[in-house]
Amino acid sequence: MSQVKAHGLYDRASHKVSRRAFEDDELYKAEQRAVFGKSWLFLGHESQVPKPRDFFTTTMGEESVIVVRDAGGTVRAFLNSCRHRGMAVCQADRGNTPAFTCTYHAWTYDTSGRLIGVPKFRETYHGELDKKSLGLVPVSQVGSYKGLLFGTFDPSAPPLAEYLGDLTYYLDHWLDRHEGGIEVVGVQKWIMNTNWKVGADNNCGDNYHVYYTHSSIPELNRMRAQLLAGEPLQPEPDGDGSGPDSKTVRQAVTDSKHSVIFYKGKSADPSLEPAILEWASETRGEVLDRLGAPGRTCEARSGWCIQISDGSRIPTSVCRPSASTSRAAPTKRSFSRMSSSTPTLLRKQNERSDSGLSRRWDRLEHSRWTTGRTGLRLACRTAPA
Amino acid sequence: MDDGTNWTSIGMSNRTRLTRDLTSDMSMGAGHDQESHEEYPGRLSDRASDIGHRTFYGRWADDVEAGLATEVGQ
């Protein structure tokens, strides 16, 4: 039994976390069971698997997972581990396939996880292998909320909507602004040498670091807006990089222990492309009607393009309807550009299933000091799918 | 400077003999939350606050402790 005492590592009175919480190996192992083994974990978005036999791979805690829309149209998730000797049966980031074949001995599974192929079944196993009991191990529950896919290894976990609780109010303002909903337009993956909680707590609402670490982003947006308006460039009046958004940005934590950052009653970011602003203006009434009483809604910064990150490794399903460095244009099937801070090399690698980064991701050695992160770039559909 | 630079530096720092016995501070805005709002669900706070961090680590501690208690009981 572990000697870890988590409460001793977080002092609720002084609000201090022992840094041993980030480096204790026994604690890390306990987290895999108690946090990642129990929570609903973010998997991805339904638009990543629009057609039967579409799949993508991700992680739930340390576990490599295949998310696949089976031949009948049901989205399923399985441990990416051959029931024979444990080899990953899928080494691609995404694709479409009628079956997953292990590259070791070629055991083959269909998109429902059934073991349908064992080479030399009669000659070597004498036809005696119980193939029915050797399907891919399913994730206990897979659920969807307005296109977002989640999974949990806990068969007794509450239904997803109940688990999300009041967070659905905020999610609706992000996911359900238009009839077409949202769709994924890109995936980014990172490997970072740090404990998973360091990134997770940042995503829980660390607006504070934006003033300094990311100060160039609002500054560039402000300068761009001035240039588009034909105005002379002026320095930030208060000099702290916070800008006018400081009056409208709020944080909330729900009873379900989820965190959210939102913009209160704010219209679209004025630094966006004119065509996007025009579209936002045209559809604003429609959006407010859809979401609720006009003037009482919260909005994401740009209203239709959000970046969420760290899905599979955040146990509390934290999502951020907030400032994004991505941009989407209002085409019928909208597209987006990459963040300006993303290195070109990484940008190219991320888009291919055979990339060097993908291979490193497959071989990621999870530990208390190494974290894999997935980010999805999402954009509103301006028309139903 | 980006998030990765900050987080990997933190990861390195937390490993060492002396710094791992220090603490990280999550106190910003404590005691200044807005307990309820007529429209927005949950407890609210200003733009810059550690309300999310405190909620995260509180739940994390609860989950890990509950998990350890279950294992002891088995």
Side-chain angles (χ1 to χ4, degrees):
Chain A
M1 209 287 288
S2 170
Q3 298 301 307
V4 171
K5 297 295 180 188
H7 274 296
L9 297 176
Y10 176 54
D11 184 339
R12 294 168 189 264
S14 66
H15 314 293
K16 293 187 187 306
V17 180
S18 166
R19 292 185 185 169
R20 287 186 178 267
F22 305 104
E23 64 87 37
D24 186 290
D25 196 40
E26 286 299 307
L27 175 62
Y28 176 78
K29 292 173 183 172
E31 288 169 341
Q32 297 307 310
R33 298 187 296 271
V35 178
F36 294 100
K38 292 289 185 181
S39 302
W40 278 97
L41 305 172
F42 182 60
L43 296 172
H45 189 264
E46 289 178 357
S47 63
Q48 292 176 273
V49 285
K51 302 187 299 295
R53 303 181 184 85
D54 283 346
F55 72 89
F56 63 88
T57 52
T58 184
T59 56
M60 294 174 65
E62 292 186 330
E63 310 291 348
S64 176
V65 170
I66 305 168
V67 180
V68 58
R69 188 178 294 278
D70 71 16
T74 301
V75 177
R76 301 174 184 272
F78 303 100
L79 291 184
N80 185 12
S81 178
C82 184
R83 294 298 304 278
H84 184 209
R85 300 286 168 78
M87 174 74 188
V89 298
C90 180
Q91 299 178 59
D93 283 340
R94 61 184 181 276
N96 182 284
T97 184
F100 299 98
T101 299
C102 178
T103 53
Y104 197 177
H105 304 92
W107 280 28
T108 298
Y109 304 85
D110 70 11
T111 52
S112 297
R114 291 175 299 195
L115 178 60
I116 56 171
V118 176
K120 303 185 184 301
F121 178 65
R122 297 199 179 283
E123 299 97 306
T124 58
Y125 287 98
H126 308 283
E128 296 170 351
L129 187 72
D130 181 12
K131 289 191 283 190
K132 285 186 178 175
S133 69
L134 291 169
L136 293 176
V137 175
V139 173
S140 298
Q141 297 188 62
V142 175
S144 170
Y145 186 78
K146 299 199 174 178
L148 298 185
L149 295 167
F150 297 83
T152 176
F153 292 121
D154 183 3
S156 62
L160 176 61
E162 179 183 330
Y163 179 90
L164 294 173
D166 283 344
L167 184 68
T168 57
Y169 170 91
Y170 297 101
L171 288 176
D172 288 350
H173 282 74
W174 169 36
L175 302 168
D176 200 20
R177 304 176 69 79
H178 300 274
E179 185 182 355
I182 63 170
E183 66 181 351
V184 169
V185 293
V187 178
Q188 291 173 271
K189 293 183 176 181
W190 298 265
I191 297 170
M192 291 190 179
N193 293 323
T194 195
N195 183 265
W196 68 273
K197 294 189 291 298
V198 174
D201 81 32
N202 178 280
N203 282 127
C204 284
D206 198 308
N207 275 323
Y208 192 35
H209 80 297
V210 178
Y211 296 139
Y212 194 76
T213 296
H214 304 308
S215 61
S216 61
I217 296 173
E219 180 69 4
L220 286 171
N221 281 339
R222 190 183 58 76
M223 293 170 66
R224 185 173 180 280
Q226 290 175 345
L227 287 170
L228 285 172
E231 298 170 355
L233 293 177
Q234 299 289 338
E236 182 74 21
D238 58 11
D240 66 0
S242 57
D245 287 345
S246 61
K247 296 182 178 58
T248 55
V249 181
R250 302 301 303 275
Q251 291 190 61
V253 294
T254 64
D255 291 343
S256 53
K257 308 295 184 189
H258 296 89
S259 305
V260 63
I261 301 168
F262 66 96
Y263 286 70
K264 191 172 67 173
K266 188 178 187 304
S267 57
D269 182 344
S271 68
L272 293 172
E273 280 81 356
I276 298 178
L277 291 172
E278 185 180 342
W279 178 70
S281 177
E282 286 173 1
T283 58
R284 182 174 169 78
E286 167 196 324
V287 169
L288 294 179
D289 285 345
R290 188 177 179 84
L291 292 175
R296 297 180 65 201
T297 59
C298 64
E299 295 191 24
R301 179 178 187 134
S302 61
W304 55 85
C305 184
I306 304 298
Q307 187 170 32
I308 64 171
S309 58
D310 207 359
S312 65
R313 297 191 71 87
I314 291 184
T316 47
S317 315
V318 174
C319 298
R320 301 200 308 171
S322 66
S324 169
T325 52
S326 301
R327 293 287 183 265
T331 57
K332 190 167 185 179
R333 298 280 291 180
S334 53
F335 62 90
S336 85
R337 293 203 305 262
M338 293 291 293
S339 160
S340 58
S341 61
T342 304
T344 303
L345 180 62
L346 187 60
R347 189 182 313 172
K348 291 177 179 173
Q349 287 178 336
N350 285 337
E351 298 297 325
R352 297 203 304 265
S353 59
D354 58 351
S355 69
L357 182 72
S358 297
R359 286 195 293 274
R360 291 201 300 279
W361 180 270
D362 286 343
R363 290 159 180 72
L364 171 62
E365 184 179 350
H366 298 274
S367 77
R368 61 196 186 279
W369 292 323
T370 306
T371 299
R373 293 171 54 82
T374 303
L376 300 182
R377 286 178 291 124
L378 300 160
C380 266
R381 288 190 180 107
T382 56
Chain B
M1 180 68 74
D2 64 10
D3 288 333
T5 310
N6 296 326
W7 300 347
T8 53
S9 175
I10 290 169
M12 292 298 293
S13 176
N14 289 337
R15 297 187 196 194
T16 56
R17 183 177 64 87
L18 295 177
T19 58
R20 72 186 177 197
D21 283 332
L22 301 177
T23 57
S24 291
D25 185 275
M26 311 289 165
S27 68
M28 183 191 293
H32 298 276
D33 297 342
Q34 183 178 347
E35 291 301 320
S36 63
H37 189 280
E38 63 178 8
E39 170 66 10
Y40 305 121
R43 284 187 296 122
L44 272 65
S45 79
D46 296 335
R47 176 183 187 176
S49 161
D50 289 338
I51 184 174
H53 298 68
R54 289 189 289 275
T55 303
F56 173 73
Y57 283 105
R59 175 175 167 177
W60 164 79
D62 286 345
D63 285 356
V64 174
E65 282 292 303
L68 293 174
T70 301
E71 290 169 23
V72 170
Q74 286 174 344

